[in-house]
């Protein structure tokens, strides 16, 4: 009986010592932090284009080729109709230029007569619009292999009866803390509208893709802070005009700062078959 009591006493003392030693460890030191996995950087191409621009269809073809090379999830293009070669429309013809697009052109032109088409590629620090079409692919190639400090996720819900779009955008930090702005845009594919062609003719049945339609959260977005291992989320709603085809509408969201675009994502508001298969 005495031997049993000795064993019990030793076990109790050991448990007490273990509990005491654990209580002396700071709570933050008890778990080993696992850094989030690296994520690739998608590239945003802002195409400053216009329906009266004879070289713009060539620019569009180049962008299409870049997307085919790297994949539509890795290169996201937005056609911003603007500038002196933009067309706002009239009673006979559809125009794709917007007031916001004009504001973007004025900003990027910075008092110069900026040629069209010009491309802003990932808003890279120290690099403005590139009006030499032959340099676009090379610039994308320099960026596409970089790792990003955060990832961007988009979740859309669309009510066809009310034409109301509800969007949740999340930015997840994977490397340090990122301060910048979150920008949310609406773009549309498959718009049939006039376009001047390289031979000087006017193609009335030209199909315009990835056309900038609206900035959901203001012309330049809103301030955000994205911390490593955490998600910063924002919710938005937007009612689509009757003239927009919801089947061809997507949301483009990106976080940017003085260093450029941290990351960008694009998602259709109506789920397509290819998305279901992924």
């Amino acid at each position: 009986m005495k031997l049993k009591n000795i064993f019990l006493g030793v076990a109790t003392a050991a448990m007490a010592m273990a509990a005491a030693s654990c209580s002396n460890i700071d709570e933050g030191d008890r778990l080993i932090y696992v850094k989030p996995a690296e994520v690739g950087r998608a590239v945003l191409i802002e195409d400053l284009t216009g329906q009266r621009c004879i070289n713009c269809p060539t620019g569009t073809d180049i962008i299409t080729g870049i997307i085919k090379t790297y994949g539509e999830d890795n290169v996201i293009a937005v056609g911003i109709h603007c500038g002196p070669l933009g067309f706002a429309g009239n009673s006979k013809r559809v125009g794709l230029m917007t007031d916001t697009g004009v504001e973007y052109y004025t900003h990027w032109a910075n008092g110069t007569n900026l040629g069209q088409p010009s491309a802003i590629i990932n808003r890279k620090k120290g690099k403005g619009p590139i009006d030499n079409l032959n340099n676009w692919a090379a610039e994308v190639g320099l960026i596409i292999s970089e790792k990003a400090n955060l990832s961007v996720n988009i979740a859309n819900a669309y009510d066809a009866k009310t034409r109301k779009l509800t969007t949740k955008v999340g930015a997840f930090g994977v490397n340090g803390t990122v301060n910048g702005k979150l920008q949310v845009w609406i773009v549309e594919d498959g718009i049939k509208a006039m376009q001047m062609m390289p031979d000087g003719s006017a193609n009335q049945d030209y199909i315009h893709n990835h056309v900038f339609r609206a900035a959901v959260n203001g012309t330049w977005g809103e301030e955000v802070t994205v911390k490593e291992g955490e998600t910063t989320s924002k919710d938005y709603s937007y009612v689509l005009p009757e003239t927009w085809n919801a089947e061809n509408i997507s949301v483009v969201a990106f976080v940017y700062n003085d260093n450029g675009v941290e990351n960008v994502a694009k998602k259709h508001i109506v789920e397509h078959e290819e998305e279901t298969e992924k």
Side-chain angles (χ1 to χ4, degrees):
M1 195 67 173
K2 287 183 180 181
L3 187 59
K4 182 178 180 181
N5 289 338
I6 291 172
F7 283 138
L8 285 173
V10 171
T12 303
M15 292 173 63
M17 289 177 64
S21 62
C22 286
S23 64
N24 291 330
I25 299 175
D26 291 336
E27 188 172 337
D29 295 334
R30 294 180 189 177
L31 298 175
I32 299 175
Y33 175 72
V34 178
K35 190 176 180 67
E38 292 183 335
V39 296
R41 186 187 301 275
V43 177
L44 173 66
I45 301 178
E46 297 170 73
D47 177 20
L48 304 182
T49 188
Q51 289 170 265
R52 293 189 173 115
C53 168
I54 62 172
N55 293 319
C56 286
T58 302
T60 298
D61 291 342
I62 289 173
I63 290 173
T64 299
I66 294 171
I67 292 173
K68 286 183 178 179
T69 298
Y70 295 107
E72 59 182 12
D73 291 333
N74 299 317
V75 177
I76 295 169
V78 178
I80 300 174
H81 287 253
C82 57
L85 300 179
F87 179 55
N90 55 35
S91 59
K92 294 182 178 180
R93 292 187 176 89
V94 174
L96 301 176
M97 187 164 66
T98 63
D99 291 341
T100 306
V102 172
E103 188 172 348
Y104 289 139
Y105 178 86
T106 301
H107 171 80
W108 293 114
N110 194 27
T112 67
N113 185 21
L114 180 62
Q116 289 176 271
S118 287
I120 300 99
I121 300 178
N122 247 39
R123 299 187 178 181
K124 200 71 174 173
K125 185 177 182 179
K127 293 188 178 181
I130 303 172
D131 57 8
N132 187 334
L133 311 184
N134 296 322
N135 292 341
W136 292 359
E139 187 66 22
V140 171
L142 291 174
I143 300 170
I144 200 77
S145 61
E146 296 177 357
K147 297 301 180 183
N149 294 317
L150 55 81
S151 62
V152 177
N153 179 264
I154 304 169
N156 296 318
Y158 177 66
D159 187 327
K161 291 182 179 180
T162 62
R163 296 186 64 81
K164 183 178 180 180
L165 166 66
T166 302
T167 297
K168 177 184 284 292
V169 178
F172 177 72
V174 299
N175 184 36
T177 296
V178 175
N179 293 305
K181 288 188 175 182
L182 171 64
Q183 181 75 75
V184 181
W185 285 343
I186 293 178
V187 301
E188 183 175 359
D189 294 316
I191 303 174
K192 182 187 291 187
M194 182 276 294
Q195 175 64 52
M196 297 300 296
M197 302 302 291
D199 63 1
S201 65
N203 184 348
Q204 304 297 337
D205 297 320
Y206 188 87
I207 302 300
H208 298 263
N209 290 314
H210 49 75
V211 175
F212 171 82
R213 283 301 204 179
V216 175
N217 61 341
T219 303
W220 300 104
E222 58 192 305
E223 300 282 349
V224 291
T225 296
V226 183
K227 297 180 179 180
E228 183 178 310
E230 298 181 9
T231 298
T232 298
S233 298
K234 299 282 186 179
D235 295 295
Y236 306 97
S237 62
Y238 193 91
V239 177
L240 271 55
E242 292 290 338
T243 54
W244 297 3
N245 183 353
E247 292 286 335
N248 294 336
I249 294 289
S250 298
V251 171
V252 171
F254 59 97
V255 175
Y256 72 99
N257 51 32
D258 291 340
N259 294 320
V261 173
E262 292 285 349
N263 221 336
V264 58
K266 177 181 179 181
K267 190 171 181 63
H268 290 105
I269 69 169
V270 176
E271 195 172 70
H272 296 170
E273 287 186 8
E274 61 269 23
E275 294 177 319
T276 305
E277 293 172 357
K278 288 182 179 179

